[in-house]
Each structure stands twice: as C-alpha cells, then as structure tokens.
Coordinates of all heavy atoms in Angstrom, one line a residue:
L1 N 10.4 -11.4 3.0 CA 9.6 -11.4 4.3 C 9.5 -10.0 4.9 O 8.4 -9.7 5.4 CB 10.3 -12.4 5.3 CG 10.3 -13.9 4.9 CD1 10.9 -14.7 6.0 CD2 8.8 -14.3 4.7
I2 N 10.6 -9.2 4.8 CA 10.4 -7.8 5.3 C 9.4 -7.1 4.4 O 8.6 -6.3 4.9 CB 11.8 -7.1 5.2 CG1 12.8 -7.7 6.2 CG2 11.7 -5.6 5.4 CD1 14.2 -7.2 6.1
S3 N 9.5 -7.4 3.1 CA 8.5 -6.8 2.2 C 7.1 -7.2 2.6 O 6.2 -6.3 2.6 CB 8.7 -7.3 0.8 OG 7.8 -6.8 -0.1
G4 N 6.9 -8.4 3.0 CA 5.5 -8.9 3.4 C 5.1 -8.2 4.7 O 3.9 -7.8 4.8
A5 N 6.0 -8.0 5.6 CA 5.7 -7.4 6.9 C 5.2 -5.9 6.7 O 4.2 -5.5 7.2 CB 6.9 -7.4 7.8
L6 N 6.0 -5.2 5.9 CA 5.6 -3.8 5.6 C 4.4 -3.7 4.8 O 3.6 -2.8 4.9 CB 6.8 -3.1 4.9 CG 8.0 -2.9 5.7 CD1 9.2 -2.4 4.9 CD2 7.7 -1.9 6.8
G7 N 4.2 -4.7 3.8 CA 3.0 -4.7 3.0 C 1.7 -4.9 3.9 O 0.7 -4.3 3.7
G8 N 1.8 -5.9 4.8 CA 0.7 -6.1 5.7 C 0.4 -4.9 6.5 O -0.8 -4.6 6.7
L9 N 1.4 -4.3 7.1 CA 1.2 -3.0 7.8 C 0.5 -2.0 7.0 O -0.4 -1.3 7.4 CB 2.5 -2.5 8.4 CG 2.5 -1.1 9.0 CD1 1.6 -1.1 10.2 CD2 4.0 -0.7 9.4
G10 N 1.0 -1.8 5.7 CA 0.5 -0.8 4.8 C -1.0 -1.1 4.5 O -1.8 -0.1 4.3
G11 N -1.4 -2.4 4.4 CA -2.8 -2.7 4.2 C -3.7 -2.1 5.3 O -4.7 -1.5 5.0
L12 N -3.3 -2.3 6.5 CA -4.1 -1.9 7.7 C -4.0 -0.3 7.8 O -5.0 0.3 8.0 CB -3.7 -2.5 9.0 CG -4.5 -2.2 10.2 CD1 -5.9 -2.7 10.0 CD2 -3.9 -2.7 11.5
A13 N -2.9 0.2 7.5 CA -2.7 1.7 7.5 C -3.5 2.4 6.5 O -4.0 3.5 6.7 CB -1.2 2.0 7.3
Y14 N -3.8 1.7 5.4 CA -4.7 2.3 4.3 C -6.1 2.3 4.8 O -6.9 3.2 4.6 CB -4.5 1.5 3.0 CG -5.6 1.8 2.0 CD1 -5.5 3.0 1.3 CD2 -6.7 1.0 1.8 CE1 -6.5 3.4 0.4 CE2 -7.6 1.3 0.9 CZ -7.6 2.5 0.2 OH -8.5 2.8 -0.7
I15 N -6.6 1.2 5.4 CA -8.0 1.0 5.7 C -8.4 1.9 6.8 O -9.5 2.5 6.8 CB -8.3 -0.5 6.1 CG1 -8.2 -1.3 4.8 CG2 -9.7 -0.6 6.6 CD1 -9.1 -1.0 3.7
L16 N -7.6 2.1 7.9 CA -8.0 2.8 9.1 C -8.6 4.2 8.8 O -9.6 4.6 9.3 CB -6.9 2.9 10.1 CG -6.5 1.5 10.7 CD1 -5.4 1.8 11.7 CD2 -7.7 0.9 11.5
P17 N -7.9 5.1 8.0 CA -8.4 6.4 7.8 C -9.5 6.6 6.8 O -10.2 7.6 6.9 CB -7.1 7.2 7.3 CG -6.0 6.3 7.4 CD -6.6 4.9 7.4
V18 N -9.8 5.6 6.0 CA -10.7 5.8 4.9 C -12.0 5.1 5.0 O -13.0 5.4 4.3 CB -10.1 5.4 3.5 CG1 -8.8 6.1 3.2 CG2 -9.8 3.9 3.5
S19 N -12.1 4.2 6.0 CA -13.4 3.4 6.0 C -13.6 2.8 7.4 O -12.6 2.8 8.2 CB -13.3 2.2 5.0 OG -14.5 1.5 5.1
T20 N -14.8 2.4 7.7 CA -15.1 1.6 8.9 C -15.4 0.2 8.6 O -16.0 -0.5 9.5 CB -16.3 2.3 9.7 OG1 -17.4 2.4 8.8 CG2 -15.9 3.7 10.1
E21 N -15.1 -0.2 7.4 CA -15.3 -1.6 7.1 C -14.4 -2.0 5.9 O -13.9 -1.2 5.2 CB -16.8 -1.9 6.6 CG -17.2 -1.2 5.4 CD -18.6 -1.5 5.0 OE1 -19.4 -1.9 5.9 OE2 -19.0 -1.4 3.8
F22 N -14.0 -3.3 5.9 CA -13.1 -3.8 4.9 C -13.9 -4.8 4.0 O -14.5 -5.7 4.5 CB -11.9 -4.5 5.5 CG -11.0 -5.2 4.6 CD1 -10.3 -4.4 3.7 CD2 -10.9 -6.6 4.5 CE1 -9.4 -5.0 2.7 CE2 -10.0 -7.2 3.6 CZ -9.3 -6.4 2.7
N23 N -13.8 -4.6 2.7 CA -14.6 -5.4 1.8 C -13.7 -6.2 0.8 O -14.1 -6.5 -0.3 CB -15.6 -4.6 1.0 CG -15.0 -3.5 0.2 OD1 -13.8 -3.4 0.1 ND2 -15.8 -2.7 -0.5
G24 N -12.4 -6.5 1.2 CA -11.6 -7.3 0.3 C -10.8 -6.6 -0.7 O -10.3 -7.3 -1.6
T25 N -10.7 -5.3 -0.6 CA -9.9 -4.6 -1.6 C -9.2 -3.4 -1.0 O -9.6 -2.9 0.0 CB -10.8 -4.1 -2.8 OG1 -10.0 -3.4 -3.7 CG2 -11.9 -3.1 -2.3
V26 N -8.1 -3.0 -1.6 CA -7.3 -1.8 -1.2 C -7.2 -0.8 -2.4 O -6.3 0.0 -2.4 CB -5.9 -2.2 -0.6 CG1 -6.0 -2.9 0.7 CG2 -5.1 -3.0 -1.6
A27 N -8.1 -0.9 -3.3 CA -8.3 0.1 -4.4 C -7.0 0.3 -5.2 O -6.8 1.5 -5.6 CB -8.8 1.4 -3.8
G28 N -6.3 -0.7 -5.5 CA -5.1 -0.6 -6.3 C -3.9 0.1 -5.7 O -2.9 0.5 -6.4
Y29 N -3.9 0.3 -4.4 CA -2.8 1.0 -3.7 C -1.5 0.2 -3.8 O -0.4 0.9 -3.8 CB -3.2 1.2 -2.2 CG -3.2 2.6 -1.9 CD1 -4.1 3.5 -2.5 CD2 -2.4 3.2 -0.9 CE1 -4.2 4.8 -2.2 CE2 -2.5 4.5 -0.6 CZ -3.4 5.3 -1.2 OH -3.5 6.7 -0.9
G30 N -1.5 -1.1 -3.9 CA -0.3 -1.9 -4.1 C 0.4 -1.5 -5.4 O 1.6 -1.4 -5.4
F31 N -0.4 -1.4 -6.4 CA 0.2 -1.0 -7.7 C 0.7 0.4 -7.8 O 1.8 0.7 -8.3 CB -0.8 -1.3 -8.8 CG -1.2 -2.7 -9.0 CD1 -2.5 -3.1 -8.6 CD2 -0.4 -3.7 -9.4 CE1 -2.9 -4.4 -8.7 CE2 -0.8 -5.0 -9.5 CZ -2.0 -5.4 -9.1
L32 N 0.0 1.3 -7.1 CA 0.4 2.7 -7.0 C 1.7 2.8 -6.2 O 2.6 3.6 -6.6 CB -0.7 3.6 -6.4 CG -0.4 5.1 -6.4 CD1 -0.2 5.6 -7.8 CD2 -1.6 5.8 -5.7
A33 N 1.8 2.0 -5.2 CA 3.1 2.0 -4.4 C 4.3 1.5 -5.2 O 5.4 2.0 -5.0 CB 2.9 1.1 -3.2
I34 N 4.1 0.6 -6.2 CA 5.2 0.2 -7.1 C 5.6 1.4 -8.0 O 6.8 1.6 -8.2 CB 4.8 -1.0 -7.9 CG1 4.6 -2.2 -7.0 CG2 5.8 -1.3 -9.0 CD1 4.0 -3.4 -7.7
A35 N 4.6 2.2 -8.4 CA 5.0 3.4 -9.1 C 5.8 4.4 -8.3 O 6.7 5.0 -8.7 CB 3.7 4.1 -9.6
V36 N 5.4 4.5 -7.0 CA 6.1 5.3 -6.1 C 7.6 4.8 -5.9 O 8.5 5.6 -5.9 CB 5.4 5.4 -4.7 CG1 6.3 6.1 -3.6 CG2 4.1 6.1 -4.8
L37 N 7.7 3.5 -5.9 CA 9.0 2.9 -5.8 C 9.9 3.3 -7.0 O 11.1 3.7 -6.8 CB 8.9 1.4 -5.7 CG 10.2 0.5 -6.0 CD1 11.1 0.6 -4.7 CD2 9.8 -0.9 -6.3
I38 N 9.4 3.2 -8.2 CA 10.1 3.5 -9.4 C 10.5 5.0 -9.4 O 11.6 5.4 -9.7 CB 9.3 3.1 -10.6 CG1 9.1 1.5 -10.6 CG2 10.1 3.5 -11.9 CD1 8.2 1.0 -11.7
F39 N 9.5 5.8 -9.1 CA 9.7 7.2 -9.1 C 10.7 7.6 -8.0 O 11.5 8.6 -8.2 CB 8.4 8.0 -8.8 CG 8.4 9.4 -9.1 CD1 8.8 10.0 -10.3 CD2 8.1 10.3 -8.0 CE1 8.9 11.3 -10.5 CE2 8.2 11.7 -8.2 CZ 8.5 12.2 -9.5
G40 N 10.7 6.9 -6.9 CA 11.7 7.1 -5.9 C 13.0 6.4 -6.1 O 13.9 6.5 -5.2
Q41 N 13.2 5.7 -7.2 CA 14.5 5.2 -7.6 C 15.1 4.2 -6.5 O 16.3 4.2 -6.3 CB 15.5 6.3 -7.9 CG 15.1 7.1 -9.1 CD 15.2 6.2 -10.4 OE1 16.3 5.8 -10.8 NE2 14.1 6.0 -11.0
W42 N 14.2 3.4 -5.9 CA 14.7 2.4 -5.0 C 15.5 2.9 -3.8 O 16.3 2.2 -3.3 CB 15.5 1.3 -5.8 CG 14.6 0.5 -6.7 CD1 14.0 -0.7 -6.4 CD2 14.2 0.8 -8.0 NE1 13.3 -1.2 -7.5 CE2 13.4 -0.2 -8.5 CE3 14.5 1.9 -8.9 CZ2 12.9 -0.2 -9.8 CZ3 14.0 1.9 -10.1 CH2 13.2 0.9 -10.6
N43 N 15.3 4.1 -3.5 CA 16.0 4.8 -2.4 C 15.0 5.2 -1.3 O 14.0 5.9 -1.7 CB 16.8 6.0 -2.9 CG 17.7 6.6 -1.8 OD1 17.2 7.2 -0.9 ND2 19.0 6.6 -2.0

C-alpha cells in the first residue's frame, strides 16, 4: 500500500513537468524506476 501511494504520486509528478494533457501512458517510467531500484540496491 505504501508502494501504491508513492507510485500514484510518482505518476502525477511525472506528468506535470512534461505535458499539459494525459493520454493514458507514462512512457515506461515505471519499468525504468525498477531499474533504478536494482541499481540502487534496495537502499
């Protein structure tokens, strides 16, 4: 649930700087974030 809360926040935080409309996608950012997690060693 904490993961969901931060993920929902991350979705809006991604859209605000890059666009003035939302069309149902976040351009693979969720998968790139998982790569960041692994590179960051869960710390």
Side-chain angles (χ1 to χ4, degrees):
L1 292 181
I2 293 173
S3 176
L6 290 172
L9 170 62
L12 186 62
Y14 168 76
I15 292 297
L16 291 180
V18 302
S19 179
T20 56
E21 63 180 25
F22 174 66
N23 61 1
T25 180
V26 289
Y29 242 60
F31 298 111
L32 186 57
I34 293 175
V36 171
L37 166 75
I38 297 172
F39 191 59
Q41 293 295 293
W42 292 264
N43 184 294

